Amino acid sequence: MSAPTSLARRLESLAEACAGGGAGPAIALCAVRDRESALLCRGRVDEHTRFELGSVTKTFTALLLAEMAARGDVRYHDPISTYLPAGALPRGAYGARITLHDLATHTSGLPRVPLDLLLTAVSRWWTNPYATYSPERMLRSTARARIRRGPTTRPHYSNLGAGLLGHILGIAAGTGYPKALTTRVLEPLGLAHTTLDPDQPQATGHRHGRPRPAWRDPGLAAAGALRSTASDLLRYLQAHLTPDD
């Protein structure tokens, strides 16, 4: 039996496969196996180039929840009615009983995206669909949602739920979501290049050869607005695999 391929070589093979599949002019890869780690960048990027993380942001929001629960600032099974005014709670008998745990695990019963967002986002889906969606609109959307049955163990993916979780954690922290995430998660982990700022330099996405603007997401930031680098994400991954370090 031949010796196993090194982790770095596996990343090389993966990069070649992505390039052959038309992945574009740049790619950044990182991986961890046991105590071995590897990072590979090709094209017009390096390990410090920022990329939009999209829904990977949700894992950071869930980690913020875990950190705040460990400190006793919140509890996993706190109902959202503890933090939101009555006028912002979903309709139906179960709306006020949704917990922070339900939001983090996508078992709240809230819709995938706010229904009123669809009306304004479709026309600019490939440019900036969330740019005008404010936290105030998110709360109004939450109030319009009807929860017809209690939360279950069956997940139903919800960007609205993740965005609402971040908003609530910001309230509980007394600082708002961006500062809470920065001071309680990003800075302690040493993720110096991971931010919510859409105006800092970052990799430019393209569609049909045309550059796309950086997405802005003021209302659902906790669901998808983070930017990060390959080096920061490698550190983030290692922190999860060896938390005692």
Side-chain angles (χ1 to χ4, degrees), residues 34-159:
D34 298 325
R35 292 285 176 172
E36 181 187 7
S37 65
L39 193 154
L40 176 76
C41 297
R42 290 274 185 88
R44 305 170 191 170
V45 299
D46 60 29
E47 62 185 275
H48 301 303
T49 301
R50 297 197 325 147
F51 291 85
E52 295 183 1
L53 295 190
S55 286
V56 175
T57 303
K58 295 178 176 66
T59 69
F60 286 80
T61 302
L63 187 58
L64 175 60
L65 169 61
E67 193 275 346
M68 293 182 66
R71 287 192 184 197
D73 296 332
V74 300
R75 295 176 299 175
Y76 288 117
H77 295 290
D78 282 345
I80 61 175
S81 57
T82 302
Y83 305 97
L84 297 179
L89 298 175
R91 294 181 294 170
Y94 299 100
R97 293 162 54 182
I98 294 172
T99 69
L100 304 187
H101 178 271
D102 297 327
L103 296 177
T105 58
H106 298 272
T107 54
S108 67
L110 288 169
R112 184 182 184 93
V113 295
L115 298 181
D116 66 322
L117 172 64
L118 296 176
L119 299 177
T120 58
V122 170
S123 62
R124 53 175 180 266
W125 192 252
W126 300 110
T127 54
N128 244 315
Y130 295 94
T132 61
Y133 200 79
S134 66
E136 293 73 25
R137 282 188 63 187
M138 177 190 66
L139 292 179
R140 291 197 296 270
S141 296
T142 302
R144 294 190 191 102
R146 180 176 293 278
I147 307 301
R148 301 185 182 278
R149 52 187 175 183
T152 67
T153 57
R154 177 176 294 181
H156 180 77
Y157 194 82
S158 177
N159 285 296

Side-chain angles (χ1 to χ4, degrees), residues 163-182:
L164 184 63
L165 175 60
H167 181 77
I168 288 174
L169 294 178
I171 292 173
T175 63
Y177 172 76
K179 187 172 182 179
L181 184 70
T182 299

